[in-house]
Amino acid sequence: MGGLVLWYGMFAPYGRLLGTTDFSRGAPSIVEGAMLKNMRKYKTKRLDCWPMMKELRRAHFKHTWEARDKGDLVVMGIFEWFLALCAGFGDYANPSYGPYYTQMLRDKEKALKCFEVAEAKGFRRDICASMRCHLGQLYMGLTQRGPRGEIVKPDFILQPAACYSMSKTGQIVSEELQVPYLNLEFPTKDTKNTRAYLLTEMEEAIDWMEKKTGRPFSDEKFIEAVQNEWECMVLWAKTCELNKAIPAPLDYRQMWSLRIPSITSRYKKDTVKFYQILLEEVKGRVANGISANAYETARLFHQFLPPFYGLDIFKAPLKYGASFIGGDGVFSSMGAWVIHGDGTWEAAKTPRDRGIELQDREDALESLADLYLGYLPASRCTTSANPKEVIKMVQDWHVDGVVLMIDRGCKTLSAGQEEQIVELKEAGIPRMVYEGSHADFRDFDEGTTLRRFDLFLENLGLTKLEGIKKEE
Amino acid sequence: MIGTGYAGLGISQMEVFKPFHDCVDDRHRYAKDWKAKTGGKVIGYFCTYVPEEIIYAAGMLPVRIIGGNESQTITDEYCSRNKWCPFSRNCLAEGLRGHYDYLDGLVIGASCFHTQEVFSAWVKHIPVSFWHYLFVPGCLQSRSADRCLTGEFEEFKSALETWNGKAITVEALDRSIETYNRSRQLMKELYAFRKNEPPLLSGTEAMETVLASQLMDKGEHNEIMKPLIADLPGQKNSISPGIRLMILGSENNDMELLKAIESWGANIVIDDHCVGSRYFWGEIIPEEDRLRAMANRYVQRPPCPTKDFPERRRLPHVLRLAKEYNVQAAVILLQKFCEPHQFDTPMIESALNKLNIPTVVVEIDAPISLGQVRIRVESLLDMIRIET
């Protein structure tokens, strides 16, 4: 109970009393004395750099079909980590395991067809929904097909393996398309031994790519790309830190989109430039009290993956004046963080900021290993991840309630989820758990989830605001 | 009768396997008795990539963590039932109920996320004085995998020595490797009797024998095995001929399921899963660096699907077993939510079907619905009977 008292104390400065709402086990309990006083209306403003983000995303999509004319490599795989490795060969296109993933998820009819094709091939519904979507594209013949019907065969598949579902998918795509395949594994713990393993894996990958493409690997380009990768991930973490401000300058939905250039192209200078511009703009918003949304009656976190096809759920609290202002789905996957012993997340410093200059390939490889094993929270094994971190994050980001999605298909990013729920419960932090799937809309009951949102927000002491509309 | 052989003693075939049956049936009793008798430490382990040889060389008893095949709710708060496989959840349930209260330590060889999640929950909620997370490379085909695994084994050995306050000598390692290799040889010899028509032992007996080897002192297990193997060919075979089945897929320790399948007119003649043959297949080839020799064995053994890329090595192994054991049909058992095996299943089915080996996929939840399994398996068996 000591923890409970502590947490009441922590939230007192924000004028909110916490209840013990537990939506993780069915019907909510009544929150005694829950009351949220912040009814102030804030200034809002569109993000000036938003069109730049859209342009970077568009350019990434188009690159797959233009790469051959430019003499660039086409690398297949969910290549969201170690991006600099391929940059040693210059710019490259990366259509994941099919360029239509996002489109598929937005279009339920197409998504359904995709899932059913994969399932008809024997891939069961417990398998990661994203991978089933990719496999559906594969068996529908879409993986290599451009918008005008052109076929672009990838040079190779390089799969940085955050999970074995990705590795298995890479194997199947490789067999089907007859494309060379290499797997690059994230060790799940950070020791001298595992770092040595990762370094050797990366060295092997460079040799392998040189052999497969017949192209020389440029250390100069690689070093620059490693620095860019660091810069983007640190800039993103700093941007996330700014959301501790009241009001939050960004909301979850915006952050979800803003992180995409980092996922696809953070090895590039243009991407670094974008995140520098974003950071400066967000700093300006904080300084001028510009909010993501007009009201901030409650600040919410969303933990673990959200439903990619149903991101409108993030708008649901707006009618109560509440806002999702972050969570590990947007913070950890593309941010470089130092995690302190007390659970505090702090934006990391780039090697350059720490006075480290990368001189050669060896330095750059070590730096890349350091980035992913030392500073990417998502790469930790469950025993080294501390479920209490969420409590510290709730405190530091001044969060009133946490919403968590249980996704039966994704075991990697939902590892430790139940432990986190237990920690939140013991700390007396309001929480709501719903079931869904990040990519398969059939496993997400939107109506029920939205009703639970209403109950959750009402139990936080909120009421629907008449006449409120989202101003951005 | 242990260690004396049973030929000519009027002991039935079933009695020969009784020590293994008893150990599996009351596995906690065995470990507790061992501890009382020897005063040694007992280390529970998750996953067959844990180098038991090191634990054994330290004079400790390695015991594989196994759950019951039951429906339970005790784990719901730590590992929800709509995400994690029933096998793993039931392992944790045994721990939460205190059935593993005799464990002094716990170790995992990282493979699937299900066992890792359970291991993590165990460490947090069921106190043990020693635990170790052993990273086992997923890319076992990488040129550096053996070096990495050797390093992990060194760390594990060192951690065990520090905790136990006693060094593990080269001689102890050699003895342990020899004992484990002998066990692997004996298990392979026993499995070879299943190539006979009809096989000289049932699938259930084979499974109990191999599972017991994961629970018992290996030396003791070997001593029971030696006369059994020597005498089994000379015994009157009590197994009736049936359709020759292969069982493969996720972990499975459900003897009732195997008994039921065999009672429907099948002989389970071979398996490929980690409670069965994958546990003991492949020996350690001695070399100067003992830990590296061990690592090589774990790198080269038939892989778990979580470690089988970029090239498929498990599939050719399965097909080889199917041919060697003259398999007529295969039952693929999938633990609910076991996505590593779910990924492999379409390719394995397709490859077996090309060899005219029909397959059926059975999803396992706890408890298993035997009625549903029966309909599927009997349909498969009927198909073979009609064709032959």
Side-chain angles (χ1 to χ4, degrees):
Chain A
M1 288 308 288
L4 191 64
V5 173
L6 174 71
W7 290 110
Y8 271 82
M10 280 177 181
F11 283 85
Y14 311 107
R16 300 175 171 111
L17 290 176
L18 292 180
T20 53
T21 316
D22 184 0
F23 281 73
S24 61
R25 298 287 177 270
S29 57
I30 300 300
V31 181
E32 286 179 25
M35 133 181 107
L36 297 155
K37 294 176 181 171
N38 187 359
M39 288 301 298
R40 187 176 154 189
K41 188 171 184 183
Y42 295 107
K43 286 182 283 183
T44 59
K45 182 178 175 290
R46 282 182 186 279
L47 274 167
D48 294 334
C49 65
W50 192 263
M52 192 176 172
M53 176 272 293
K54 300 277 276 186
E55 186 46 43
L56 286 170
R57 291 176 63 164
R58 233 186 324 269
H60 174 76
F61 178 77
K62 280 164 64 184
H63 192 189
T64 297
W65 322 112
E66 295 167 351
R68 289 287 178 244
D69 293 337
K70 292 179 174 176
D72 294 341
L73 292 175
V74 177
V75 180
M76 197 162 265
I78 300 171
F79 204 60
E80 298 178 2
W81 311 274
F82 306 97
L83 277 71
L85 269 184
C86 291
F89 298 98
D91 200 2
Y92 62 92
N94 172 235
S96 184
Y97 284 118
Y100 306 109
Y101 174 76
T102 313
Q103 286 178 28
M104 288 281 180
L105 296 192
R106 283 183 185 153
D107 184 332
K108 287 185 178 174
E109 208 173 302
K110 283 183 186 166
L112 180 64
K113 194 173 175 192
C114 209
F115 291 131
E116 286 182 346
V117 166
E119 284 152 23
K121 287 281 182 183
F123 297 100
R124 300 162 80 89
R125 278 184 71 172
D126 293 339
I127 288 175
C128 167
S130 280
M131 298 307 118
R132 280 187 286 119
C133 183
H134 288 306
L135 291 171
Q137 285 188 74
L138 174 72
Y139 292 117
M140 286 158 75
L142 297 174
T143 306
Q144 305 177 99
R145 192 186 302 163
R148 288 179 297 277
E150 66 273 43
I151 298 293
V152 176
K153 187 165 180 166
D155 292 279
F156 55 81
I157 297 170
L158 181 61
Q159 182 56 64
C163 69
Y164 43 71
S165 294
M166 289 181 184
S167 304
K168 303 297 270 186
T169 302
Q171 183 178 45
I172 294 162
V173 175
S174 154
E175 289 166 346
E176 197 70 22
L177 302 182
Q178 295 293 301
V179 175
Y181 171 44
L182 190 73
N183 201 72
L184 182 83
E185 182 181 16
F186 268 89
T188 44
K189 72 177 186 187
D190 183 14
T191 62
K192 195 177 163 191
N193 185 48
T194 57
R195 281 197 182 214
Y197 171 60
L198 180 56
L199 284 171
T200 318
E201 274 194 299
M202 289 193 286
E203 285 161 5
E204 279 179 39
I206 291 170
D207 291 347
W208 181 85
M209 288 188 289
E210 280 187 320
K211 278 183 195 139
K212 294 295 168 191
T213 62
R215 298 186 187 198
F217 185 84
S218 158
D219 288 347
E220 196 183 332
K221 287 176 183 168
F222 175 54
I223 291 166
E224 187 191 327
V226 171
Q227 282 164 337
N228 290 341
E229 215 170 327
W230 263 105
E231 290 283 349
C232 284
M233 290 177 71
V234 169
L235 286 165
W236 179 248
K238 286 179 177 173
T239 307
C240 294
E241 277 185 326
L242 290 173
N243 245 28
K244 290 174 180 172
I246 298 174
L250 300 171
D251 69 12
Y252 191 107
R253 182 68 188 82
Q254 289 169 321
M255 295 174 96
W256 187 258
S257 295
L258 289 166
R259 79 199 219 296
I260 301 293
S262 181
I263 293 177
T264 58
S265 337
R266 64 177 172 273
Y267 62 93
K268 294 182 186 178
K269 259 190 183 150
D270 287 353
T271 317
V272 175
K273 184 85 186 155
F274 166 70
Y275 284 104
Q276 284 167 340
I277 291 169
L278 173 67
L279 181 67
E280 288 310 309
E281 189 177 349
V282 175
K283 277 182 186 169
R285 287 167 79 92
V286 172
N288 294 302
I290 295 169
S291 176
N293 296 299
Y295 293 92
E296 202 174 78
T297 54
R299 293 160 65 89
L300 305 172
F301 253 13
H302 188 284
Q303 290 291 87
F304 305 99
L305 291 175
F308 298 173
Y309 46 84
L311 294 172
D312 278 356
I313 61 160
F314 292 110
K315 292 179 185 167
L318 294 177
K319 58 180 182 281
Y320 291 86
S323 187
F324 278 103
I325 57 109
D328 63 1
V330 285
F331 289 179
S332 73
S333 57
M334 296 305 143
W337 299 91
V338 174
I339 300 174
H340 296 286
D342 67 347
T344 304
W345 283 34
E346 184 192 356
K349 288 181 177 159
T350 63
R352 207 170 262 160
D353 289 342
R354 285 177 275 143
I356 300 168
E357 279 302 320
L358 309 181
Q359 306 283 351
D360 52 25
R361 186 191 295 190
E362 198 181 326
D363 284 353
L365 285 170
E366 279 177 10
S367 186
L368 207 52
D370 192 35
L371 173 59
Y372 286 103
L373 290 183
Y375 297 92
L376 185 74
S379 69
R380 296 173 298 174
C381 72
T382 52
T383 47
S384 63
N386 177 4
K388 288 190 191 299
E389 282 166 22
V390 70
I391 310 296
K392 192 72 174 69
M393 289 169 83
V394 162
Q395 179 190 9
D396 291 347
W397 269 266
H398 315 307
V399 169
D400 301 299
V402 179
V403 175
L404 310 94
M405 186 176 88
I406 290 185
D407 180 347
R408 74 176 183 178
C410 180
K411 307 298 186 297
T412 325
L413 294 178
S414 63
Q417 188 169 48
E418 287 84 347
E419 295 296 336
Q420 217 177 86
I421 295 168
V422 170
E423 292 293 341
L424 289 166
K425 186 178 173 182
E426 286 176 1
I429 294 168
R431 65 222 159 267
M432 185 195 110
V433 180
Y434 67 101
E435 283 187 56
S437 161
H438 67 280
D440 190 341
F441 69 91
R442 296 170 299 175
D443 290 340
F444 175 60
D445 184 341
E446 188 174 4
T448 302
T449 304
L450 291 176
R451 279 196 294 281
R452 297 188 95 193
F453 265 52
D454 285 342
L455 286 169
F456 179 62
L457 294 164
E458 284 164 16
N459 272 274
L460 283 176
L462 303 177
T463 51
K464 283 184 186 171
L465 306 179
E466 292 301 320
I468 192 171
K469 59 179 182 180
K470 188 172 185 294
E471 300 195 3
E472 185 172 348
Chain B
M1 298 307 152
I2 291 172
T4 62
Y6 63 94
L9 296 176
I11 300 165
S12 73
Q13 187 169 316
M14 277 182 71
E15 282 176 278
V16 173
F17 292 100
K18 194 171 181 302
F20 303 136
H21 171 82
D22 289 347
C23 174
V24 169
D25 208 38
D26 196 0
R27 59 191 184 280
H28 301 301
R29 171 60 48 210
Y30 178 87
K32 283 175 183 172
D33 287 350
W34 181 93
K35 197 169 177 171
K37 193 169 65 185
T38 65
K41 292 188 170 92
V42 181
I43 305 290
Y45 69 91
F46 287 97
C47 183
T48 55
Y49 280 97
V50 168
E52 282 180 65
E53 294 88 344
I54 296 174
I55 304 170
Y56 196 72
M60 302 174 194
L61 178 69
V63 171
R64 183 161 183 188
I65 305 285
I66 296 284
N69 297 290
E70 54 169 351
S71 179
Q72 47 78 22
T73 56
I74 193 170
T75 58
D76 286 1
E77 196 165 4
Y78 313 107
C79 295
S80 66
R81 62 179 55 230
N82 52 3
K83 196 167 66 178
W84 304 107
C85 86
F87 178 87
S88 302
R89 282 190 294 107
N90 282 338
C91 287
L92 182 62
E94 286 286 293
L96 289 170
R97 286 182 183 130
H99 294 171
Y100 278 106
D101 58 359
Y102 53 86
L103 290 186
D104 299 286
L106 195 68
V107 57
I108 187 168
S111 52
C112 75
F113 293 120
H114 301 265
T115 49
Q116 290 187 61
E117 189 75 358
V118 162
F119 176 77
S120 179
W122 193 302
V123 166
K124 287 187 175 79
H125 303 290
I126 309 167
V128 281
S129 64
F130 170 83
W131 63 268
H132 191 87
Y133 178 93
L134 197 131
F135 170 69
V136 181
C139 298
L140 284 176
Q141 295 170 26
S142 160
R143 288 201 304 268
S144 49
D146 61 339
R147 200 183 328 147
C148 174
L149 199 53
T150 306
E152 287 298 307
F153 287 2
E154 280 165 4
E155 280 177 20
F156 176 53
K157 176 174 167 282
S158 172
L160 209 55
E161 287 172 330
T162 305
W163 172 63
N164 197 34
K166 194 178 163 190
I168 298 169
T169 62
V170 173
E171 293 72 27
L173 274 178
D174 285 344
R175 280 194 301 275
S176 178
I177 289 170
E178 197 181 327
T179 305
Y180 271 73
N181 269 351
R182 186 67 187 124
S183 170
R184 290 169 181 134
Q185 290 157 6
L186 291 166
M187 283 307 309
K188 274 192 95 169
E189 285 176 40
L190 184 74
Y191 263 49
F193 293 143
R194 303 170 79 184
K195 291 178 183 173
N196 290 29
E197 175 53 28
L200 299 191
L201 65 159
S202 70
T204 316
E205 287 163 340
M207 181 60 73
E208 281 181 340
T209 308
V210 67
L211 182 53
S213 77
Q214 294 160 63
L215 305 168
M216 292 174 77
D217 181 310
K218 257 325 177 264
E220 186 181 339
H221 192 271
N222 286 352
E223 288 309 308
I224 305 172
M225 287 282 285
K226 283 177 202 166
L228 189 157
I229 284 169
D231 296 343
L232 194 60
Q235 295 302 302
K236 188 185 171 201
N237 190 353
S238 59
I239 309 279
S240 306
I243 307 290
R244 298 178 65 83
L245 273 190
M246 176 184 227
I247 298 281
L248 67 158
S250 310
E251 308 97 326
N252 172 46
N253 63 315
D254 191 338
M255 300 304 162
E256 293 309 311
L257 174 67
L258 300 188
K259 269 185 210 161
I261 290 173
E262 295 197 300
S263 75
W264 301 328
N267 292 326
I268 299 170
V269 294
I270 187 63
D271 62 72
D272 176 68
H273 58 79
C274 69
V275 184
S277 69
R278 228 170 32 231
Y279 170 70
F280 63 80
W281 218 264
E283 291 175 33
I284 296 170
I285 299 164
E287 55 181 283
E288 188 58 34
D289 182 342
R290 274 67 172 178
L291 298 183
R292 193 176 183 99
M294 272 184 214
N296 277 330
R297 183 263 161 186
Y298 286 90
V299 166
Q300 298 298 331
R301 57 159 263 199
C304 164
T306 61
K307 302 182 186 304
D308 190 26
F309 34 77
E311 185 193 326
R312 285 185 195 274
R313 292 184 178 169
R314 181 172 167 242
L315 181 60
H317 174 70
V318 166
L319 299 182
R320 206 160 38 241
L321 288 178
K323 282 179 190 165
E324 274 181 29
Y325 286 79
N326 197 20
V327 166
Q328 291 175 281
V331 177
I332 301 174
L333 298 171
L334 295 178
Q335 292 279 343
K336 192 161 177 58
F337 304 122
C338 177
E339 65 286 327
H341 279 284
Q342 291 180 359
F343 265 109
D344 271 7
T345 297
M347 282 65 191
I348 285 181
E349 279 201 284
S350 167
L352 285 170
N353 293 166
K354 278 181 192 158
L355 293 178
N356 288 322
I357 298 172
T359 51
V360 66
V361 177
V362 173
E363 185 174 82
I364 306 174
D365 206 342
I368 290 173
S369 170
L370 275 180
Q372 288 179 4
V373 178
R374 181 171 190 159
I375 291 167
R376 292 184 182 194
V377 174
E378 284 196 329
S379 303
L380 178 77
L381 300 178
D382 285 344
M383 194 163 74
I384 305 283
R385 288 187 192 109
I386 291 165
E387 282 176 2
T388 53

